Amino acid sequence: MSSQDTDGEANERADRASEQRTDRATDQRADGVTDQRADQRPDRDTTGDAPRPQKDPDLPSAAVTEGADRAPHRAMFRAMGYDDDDLAAPMVGVANPAADVTPCNVHLDDVADAAVAGIEAAGGMPVEFGTITVSDAISMGTEGMKASLISREVIADSVELVAFAESLDALVTVAGCDKNLPGMMQAAIRTDLPTVFCYGGTILPGEFDGDDVTIQDVFEAVGAHAEGDLSRAELDELEHQACPGAGSCAGMYTANTMATVSEGLGLAPLGSATAPAVTEERLDVARRAGEAVLHCIETDHTPSDVLTRESFENAIALQVAVGGSTNAVLHLLALAAEAGVELEIGDFDEISRRTPHVANLRPGGTYVMADLHRQGGVPVVIRRLIQADLFHGDAQTVTGNTVREELARLDLPADEAVDESVVRPLDDPIHEEGAIVILDGSLAPDGAVLKVTGDDELYHQGPARVFEDEESAMAWVQDGNLQSGDTLIVRNEGPRGGPGMREMLGVTAAVVGQGHEDDVALLTDGRFSGATRGPMVGHVAPEAAADGPIAAVEDGDTVTVDVPNRRLDVGLSESEIQRRLADRERPDPDYETGVLAKYGRAFGSAAHGAVTDPGAKR
């Protein structure tokens, strides 16, 4: 398998992404912005005495562009280079979280520019605006990771605010890093404007010692280095090779999982998720998204026309079939809550039990998102699921066509031509059941989430090693204290308790890197990265901050993880759990002011998606 078989121009573009954005900002300064915008647009006759074109009065943007009393508003638009034809066209917001804080987003100006070109070509008025992102990988293992889940909410809030304030008619939502994707989809649901979701694309894998590598390998190499199994020179070389350019982390980690899920939900066009970030195909996807949103406006096709119970069942079936991230459980619950669609955490287990795991993708498998793209992308998996009656083919998509209709329009390889080492047949799967398992029991009355990446008959029982935060757990592991059979408990890391529900990839990767992938479990009310593997149980609910049983566990208590029976238990009576909870000293909040305090107080339970929108809570 070659990891570098895209054209040289694409790789060069990735290397120059940051420089290009700087040049673009320079070009748009002061008096240059109007001329540049005019140069990019088709020739239009805006001179003479012809009456100004009129906008459809039913479009929301008519409130800011039509009538004599809106002359000041139009003057502001003209300052930015818009003309009469633009002002008469549908106003399409392009939400763009481009930033230099993560390779997932460093190239998104190129993607947004392509979407703008598509909107222009289809007769729309593109209005690009920015929103935030944070890098999950760079903040991983630090206090800054508490901002990750909060960023999902800030992105949704900011896009909703711009759409509301500026009376936008539609949206193209561009996304790169993990929380961009659900945040953009939440915004689409809240506004219920015609919207096309556009992913920024996956990074290509790096190469180390002749093998493809990803960021997952670097995190796990830290544990191997601590054990003395990898030299510092080897670790440095891997660090330099693992991430060769722009794009979201290469395996079926959170960003690629949510991109896959966006096709399953119907919010993104089929076939749009897998093209790598540094290819012309990715820019073609963005251009088509810009064109497609005008059709959505013409037909008044909005997210509420697409999102149903069946579309969420489709998304879950895809998630478990491809071995997707546990974070998709949290985000799909949040999206369903925003959309008013009934979805419970137990539904994931029910669908996972009947849906085989067929995609051999990292972290538990061998291949990466770019390899799935070479086999035809997400639609080849959907096609197989429909054939097995495991996917609702009559569900609506963003195009206004059903899934079946869209599949018929795609130029997909024949089913027998798909490489079975990448996507297995449903009658010969990697696992007979899907990769997501929902546990409950005395330690998680409201549920907990496990991603199966190895032994699907896992049964683990061992003594608890209790830590009040991620840092103390990481230090203990790195000091070489792990013993076979241990069960690490990391608490006070839930949505409210963290706040922000940090991911534990640093700790879990250190455990795996020290050779304990199968014989040490970790339980937390926080989250895991999509790159996590092994018996790691997250989203334990209720969380410690909500007086969940996880707050009652003490060192030495016997903890049982029983995957076949879907149980997560601690060897304590209910009365003893309640006694300990009543007697315990609750930690003071770490943050009394600022954004972490504000969103921390607003978060709901992980069992319902950890939403902050008051209208979405149930």
Side-chain angles (χ1 to χ4, degrees):
M1 175 183 62
S2 172
S3 63
Q4 309 294 337
D5 57 356
T6 60
D7 57 87
E9 291 181 2
N11 288 325
E12 183 180 353
R13 183 173 62 256
D15 294 339
R16 299 191 346 255
S18 193
E19 178 184 347
Q20 287 175 330
R21 186 158 61 261
T22 301
D23 291 344
R24 182 173 181 264
T26 301
D27 290 342
Q28 290 183 345
R29 285 178 188 150
D31 58 346
V33 67
T34 300
D35 292 340
Q36 184 193 41
R37 185 180 295 280
D39 289 345
Q40 291 176 345
R41 295 205 169 140
D43 290 336
R44 290 168 171 168
D45 182 9
T46 59
T47 61
D49 298 326
R52 191 171 70 84
Q54 297 300 299
K55 183 186 296 262
D56 180 346
D58 292 332
L59 288 172
S61 63
V64 295
T65 65
E66 300 307 301
D69 58 342
R70 293 299 184 248
H73 305 66
R74 292 191 295 273
M76 296 293 285
F77 281 116
R78 295 185 195 285
M80 296 180 284
Y82 294 103
D83 60 26
D84 284 347
D85 286 327
D86 295 318
L87 293 170
M91 190 187 302
V92 181
V94 180
N96 175 16
D100 285 344
V101 300
T102 171
C104 309
N105 291 51
V106 73
H107 65 300
L108 291 188
D109 276 330
D110 290 342
V111 176
D113 284 348
V116 165
I119 294 166
E120 284 276 8
M125 174 183 170
V127 178
E128 185 179 346
F129 61 93
T131 185
I132 69 154
T133 189
V134 302
S135 171
D136 281 26
I138 294 174
S139 64
M140 192 77 67
T142 74
E143 192 172 13
M145 189 63 192
K146 295 181 178 183
S148 170
L149 188 59
I150 293 173
S151 77
R152 181 190 77 178
E153 302 301 297
V154 174
I155 289 166
D157 292 351
S158 63
V159 176
E160 179 188 6
L161 283 171
V162 173
F164 174 76
E166 308 306 325
S167 301
L168 299 179
D169 300 320
L171 292 166
V172 173
T173 54
V174 179
C177 199
D178 294 1
K179 305 311 171 295
N180 296 182
L181 289 85
M184 291 294 183
M185 287 187 261
Q186 283 176 245
I189 293 169
R190 291 183 195 172
T191 63
D192 202 31
L193 293 172
T195 302
V196 178
F197 175 80
C198 182
Y199 183 39
T202 181
I203 196 173
L204 293 169
E207 185 175 316
F208 178 72
D209 282 350
D211 296 323
D212 282 356
V213 290
T214 72
I215 192 66
Q216 171 193 344
D217 297 281
V218 186
F219 275 100
E220 293 180 3
V222 172
H225 174 63
E227 281 289 284
D229 295 332
L230 192 74
S231 71
R232 181 56 188 270
E234 290 172 317
L235 180 60
D236 288 347
E237 178 67 15
L238 176 59
E239 170 192 330
H240 281 79
Q241 300 301 323
C243 299
S248 301
C249 297
M252 191 51 71
Y253 311 144
T254 302
N256 282 332
T257 298
M258 292 307 297
T260 299
V261 159
S262 72
E263 291 193 34
L265 285 171
L267 294 177
L270 287 192
S272 64
T274 55
V278 295
T279 62
E280 288 298 327
E281 287 178 274
R282 175 49 54 193
L283 301 183
D284 287 341
V285 166
R287 277 189 287 269
R288 291 196 300 270
E291 295 167 356
V293 77
L294 269 296
H295 177 70
C296 293
I297 296 171
E298 292 167 4
T299 58
D300 194 25
H301 195 57
T302 70
S304 62
D305 297 316
V306 174
L307 296 176
T308 63
R309 167 73 185 198
E310 288 72 24
S311 63
F312 279 94
E313 289 181 355
N314 284 347
I316 296 169
L318 257 183
Q319 176 198 4
V320 300
V322 301
S325 168
T326 55
N327 282 309
V329 176
L330 191 78
H331 300 323
L332 284 169
L333 286 167
L335 294 173
E338 298 273 12
V341 173
E342 286 299 320
L343 191 70
E344 303 293 339
I345 194 169
D347 294 327
F348 288 80
D349 197 70
E350 178 183 342
I351 294 170
S352 189
R353 283 179 181 267
R354 67 177 185 241
T355 309
H357 173 203
V358 295
N360 182 20
L361 303 172
R362 292 184 176 218
T366 303
Y367 297 97
V368 295
M369 190 72 151
D371 297 309
L372 179 60
H373 182 65
R374 295 184 188 102
Q375 303 307 315
V378 174
V380 302
V381 181
I382 292 177
R383 182 174 61 188
R384 289 187 177 180
L385 292 174
I386 289 177
Q387 290 168 353
D389 200 24
L390 296 170
F391 197 98
H392 302 285
D394 56 352
Q396 283 287 308
T397 72
V398 67
T399 65
N401 297 321
T402 67
V403 175
R404 276 198 181 89
E405 290 169 338
E406 284 299 295
L407 284 174
R409 292 157 59 99
L410 295 176
D411 183 19
L412 296 178
D415 209 40
E416 58 271 15
V418 175
D419 186 346
E420 293 186 3
S421 67
V422 181
V423 182
R424 300 270 282 273
L426 264 67
D427 58 2
D428 184 25
I430 299 167
H431 298 107
E432 293 291 338
E433 297 183 356
I436 295 297
V437 170
I438 305 300
L439 310 174
D440 61 18
S442 63
L443 195 48
D446 291 344
V449 184
L450 168 68
K451 177 176 174 178
V452 175
T453 58
D455 182 6
D456 58 354
E457 296 298 318
L458 172 73
Y459 180 93
H460 175 93
Q461 188 173 75
R465 313 296 183 196
V466 180
F467 303 93
E468 302 300 333
D469 54 43
E470 179 186 0
E471 286 83 358
S472 57
M474 184 65 171
W476 188 84
V477 171
Q478 289 291 74
D479 285 344
N481 296 305
L482 272 179
Q483 300 291 323
S484 179
D486 282 344
T487 305
L488 280 61
I489 307 288
V490 184
R491 62 193 180 198
N492 304 311
E493 295 287 3
R496 286 177 172 264
M501 208 177 178
R502 281 194 287 185
E503 294 179 356
M504 303 286 160
L505 179 59
V507 182
T508 61
V511 170
V512 172
Q514 292 184 23
H516 293 288
E517 178 181 353
D518 299 317
D519 61 357
V520 168
L522 189 150
L523 280 60
T524 181
D525 50 9
R527 297 181 294 122
F528 295 124
S529 162
T532 292
R533 59 193 177 111
M536 314 298 179
V537 182
H539 309 201
V540 173
E543 62 175 293
D547 290 333
I550 191 173
V553 182
E554 297 177 357
D555 281 337
D557 289 342
T558 299
V559 174
T560 303
V561 181
D562 183 352
V563 171
N565 292 305
R566 302 303 199 255
R567 297 288 301 180
L568 182 64
D569 292 299
V570 60
L572 301 172
S573 66
E574 177 62 22
S575 60
E576 176 61 12
I577 290 174
Q578 294 305 316
R579 184 193 68 77
R580 291 186 185 183
L581 290 175
D583 291 347
R584 79 185 185 104
E585 292 185 13
R586 290 163 179 78
D588 293 329
D590 289 336
Y591 308 92
E592 296 286 1
T593 62
V595 66
L596 271 73
K598 177 170 66 176
Y599 279 92
R601 286 191 291 267
F603 273 124
S605 171
H608 298 143
V611 293
T612 61
D613 177 2
K617 289 185 177 180
R618 293 172 293 148

